[in-house]
Amino acid sequence: MDKVIQWAVKELGEKEIPGRANNKRIVDYAKEAGFEWVNDDETPWCSIFVNWVLKKAGIKGTGRADARSWLLFGINVDQNPEPGDIAVFWRGSIDSWKGHVGFFFGFSKDGSRVYCLGGNQGDQVSISGYSVDQVLGFRSIGANKRLSIPDPVLQKGDKGDKVKALQTILKSKGFHLGTIDGDFGPKTEKAVKALQSMKIGLSVDGVYGEKTKDLLFEIMNG
């Protein structure tokens, strides 16, 4: 964790250059983290920066540019995040694919705001505060546990071992769905929708189909 913080802190102050010019350092974050298609400093880069920091610290990230991809990374620590953990926020709408990700630094004294160090915060690497109401989750950097991904299709009203397997994997990744009981009810449907919202273009319908299974497989085995 110390290495993660050290690498992130060293980049404080790196900012986008207004206009057509680009800050080469920000472009390098993308190139070095494996995002070869990024050639400017205006492509949303908060997730790119987190991937870059982790790579420098010798840790494999999500390899994805969307912020919500971090919701299935590492270990859920929503109850007790520590400095250096990953903080994921919703942006625009809690049900959309949009989000923001950075490294948790602490809470405000009254607990209403979360401070994190991240990229693309005010168009630069900075420490910024966000409403605690916008938090989607906190993740501790750790090994992604390999779990059995059930075959689709599963939806509200279904019951059985496949539903239980789906509930187990969702709960292990921090999605709140209550008891693992093999009953695909409203809470499980809500958890599936939260998962689907992490993928641009994926229908957020609460039905665990082929594309939702592919998303689970991609994130857990990427």
Side-chain angles (χ1 to χ4, degrees):
M1 194 66 72
D2 288 343
K3 282 188 177 181
V4 169
I5 294 175
Q6 289 169 8
W7 275 105
V9 167
K10 286 196 300 184
E11 302 304 307
L12 282 170
E14 289 292 343
K15 62 177 63 178
E16 298 176 17
I17 299 174
R20 300 179 66 178
N22 297 298
N23 182 335
K24 184 178 181 300
R25 184 62 172 169
I26 294 176
V27 176
D28 286 345
Y29 296 153
K31 301 298 185 185
E32 293 176 13
F35 300 90
E36 295 294 336
W37 51 273
V38 177
N39 296 300
D40 59 64
D41 63 6
E42 295 181 351
T43 297
W45 51 282
C46 63
S47 182
I48 289 173
F49 180 72
V50 173
N51 273 289
W52 179 85
V53 170
L54 292 193
K55 184 173 183 179
K56 289 297 184 180
I59 301 168
K60 184 178 180 180
T62 65
R64 294 166 56 119
D66 52 310
R68 295 195 186 207
S69 66
W70 295 93
L71 285 170
L72 293 185
F73 183 84
I75 302 168
N76 174 30
V77 288
D78 287 356
Q79 301 305 313
N80 190 31
E82 298 183 358
D85 287 339
I86 293 170
V88 186
F89 306 87
W90 59 265
R91 184 168 58 84
S93 167
I94 194 171
D95 295 321
S96 77
W97 59 267
K98 296 179 181 180
H100 178 70
V101 63
F103 296 103
F104 174 74
F105 251 51
F107 293 102
S108 62
K109 188 175 182 179
D110 63 3
S112 67
R113 296 184 68 75
V114 178
Y115 293 99
C116 68
L117 191 166
N120 205 17
Q121 297 184 166
D123 296 334
Q124 63 182 307
V125 180
S126 66
I127 297 176
S128 301
Y130 298 86
S131 171
V132 71
D133 293 333
Q134 288 184 267
V135 174
L136 288 172
F138 296 104
R139 311 297 298 185
S140 178
I141 298 166
N144 279 313
K145 185 179 180 181
R146 305 298 185 188
L147 298 173
S148 177
I149 302 176
D151 290 329
V153 171
L154 297 171
Q155 56 192 318
K156 190 176 180 180
D158 288 342
K159 302 178 186 293
D161 290 340
K162 285 187 176 182
V163 174
K164 187 176 289 187
L166 176 61
Q167 291 174 327
T168 298
I169 195 170
L170 288 172
K171 193 164 187 177
S172 74
K173 293 301 179 181
F175 292 99
H176 303 293
L177 47 78
T179 304
I180 298 174
D181 56 7
D183 185 353
F184 200 125
K187 291 183 179 180
T188 301
E189 182 183 47
K190 184 177 181 180
V192 171
K193 286 183 176 180
L195 169 67
Q196 292 169 331
S197 72
M198 296 167 52
K199 180 74 171 181
I200 300 172
L202 184 61
S203 178
V204 182
D205 57 10
V207 177
Y208 176 73
E210 286 287 352
K211 291 183 178 180
T212 305
K213 177 188 176 183
D214 290 344
L215 173 58
L216 272 182
F217 185 86
E218 178 185 348
I219 292 174
M220 296 187 68
N221 298 281

